[in-house]
Amino acid sequence: MRKSHPVRRAVLAGAATVSAIVLLLSLKPASGPGSAPAAGGAAPPVAAQSPQGGRDAGASTVTGDAVRTQYGPVQVRLTVSGGRITGAEAVQAPKGGQSDRVTADAVPKLNRAAVAAGSADIDAVSGATYTSAGYRQSLQSALDKAAAPAGSGSESGPGRGTQVLTGDAVRTQYGPVQVRVTVSGGRITGVEALQTPKGGRSDRITREAVPKLERAAVAAGSADIDAVSGATYTSAGYRQSLQSALDRAGG
């Protein structure tokens, strides 16, 4: 029997290997839609969605001092955004009896007036004199704390170039009197009594005299204001404390 030539065997073996590879490739399943992406074709990341709505990033909320009135405390909370008042609400207001009706009628009007005016220079609501006075004082203290312009284009209210200064506590026969003044653009834009005589008859005198003294100080632009009739000692202490605050502001 003739022996196979070595070269021929090698050629036949190679041909058999190639046929086997071709057969295996023909049996491999085709890639489907769920197959892995090709190299360099990674799927793009999903874009993150930013939240919509909510309070502006530049908005701040500040609460004014609680101001005592004849019928109960009044306290105002403000929302200030972009240098102007965008919201106002009464956190505290007189309650009980007739005060419920007065508060329900007056507070919404005062809230709207504060936003519209952009400052604490708002009119009292008819029939709610004490609530209105307390509201204005608390509103002004909130604006002082916010240290931001109270209105667009308005010179009043705290803002750039504004100073909020507290005068000396002046002792009087009926108790200490201390005034905090806001000076902006070289003029008095707000005054608030931090301490006043309290107890007994002094409560009534303080309620009547202090709002008049505050309005007089803003109108006069100085401590040269008249005493309120029936409140001589309180008026004298008020003027002294106001003058000491203005001295710190540079006159």
Side-chain angles (χ1 to χ4, degrees):
M1 184 176 176
R2 185 188 300 178
K3 292 184 180 181
S4 299
H5 195 277
V7 175
R8 184 179 181 186
R9 285 200 303 269
V11 172
L12 293 174
T17 301
V18 172
S19 299
I21 292 173
V22 171
L23 180 61
L24 288 173
L25 290 175
S26 65
L27 294 175
K28 183 178 179 181
S31 297
S35 60
V46 178
Q49 296 182 358
S50 59
Q52 300 291 326
R55 184 175 295 165
D56 294 339
S60 61
T61 302
V62 60
T63 303
D65 297 334
V67 178
R68 296 196 334 171
T69 75
Q70 181 174 344
Y71 298 100
V74 178
Q75 189 173 28
V76 177
R77 181 166 60 199
L78 293 180
T79 301
V80 180
S81 179
R84 53 189 292 270
I85 298 173
T86 57
E89 63 178 319
V91 179
Q92 295 189 68
K95 298 178 182 178
Q98 187 179 358
S99 293
D100 288 339
R101 180 185 61 78
V102 174
T103 293
D105 176 66
V107 168
K109 295 178 181 178
L110 292 167
N111 290 339
R112 291 192 294 270
V115 174
S119 72
D121 186 17
I122 57 177
D123 294 331
V125 174
S126 178
T129 305
Y130 291 104
T131 297
S132 299
Y135 188 99
R136 285 194 299 253
Q137 291 183 49
S138 184
L139 172 58
Q140 184 61 59
S141 70
L143 288 171
D144 292 344
K145 293 173 184 176
S152 178
S154 174
E155 293 183 358
S156 62
R160 184 174 299 175
T162 296
Q163 295 176 286
V164 180
L165 304 116
T166 301
D168 298 333
V170 178
R171 291 175 50 183
T172 74
Q173 183 174 339
Y174 298 100
V177 178
Q178 188 175 28
V179 174
R180 180 168 64 192
V181 62
T182 302
V183 179
S184 180
R187 53 189 285 268
I188 297 175
T189 57
V191 187
E192 178 184 5
L194 302 180
Q195 295 189 67
T196 54
K198 297 178 181 178
R201 188 181 173 195
S202 293
D203 289 339
R204 180 184 61 81
I205 293 175
T206 294
R207 284 194 302 268
E208 294 178 356
V210 168
K212 295 178 181 178
L213 292 167
E214 289 172 347
R215 290 194 293 270
V218 173
S222 71
D224 186 17
I225 57 178
D226 294 332
V228 174
S229 177
T232 305
Y233 291 103
T234 297
S235 300
Y238 190 99
R239 286 194 300 254
Q240 290 182 50
S241 183
L242 174 59
Q243 185 60 60
S244 69
L246 292 174
D247 290 343
R248 289 173 185 148

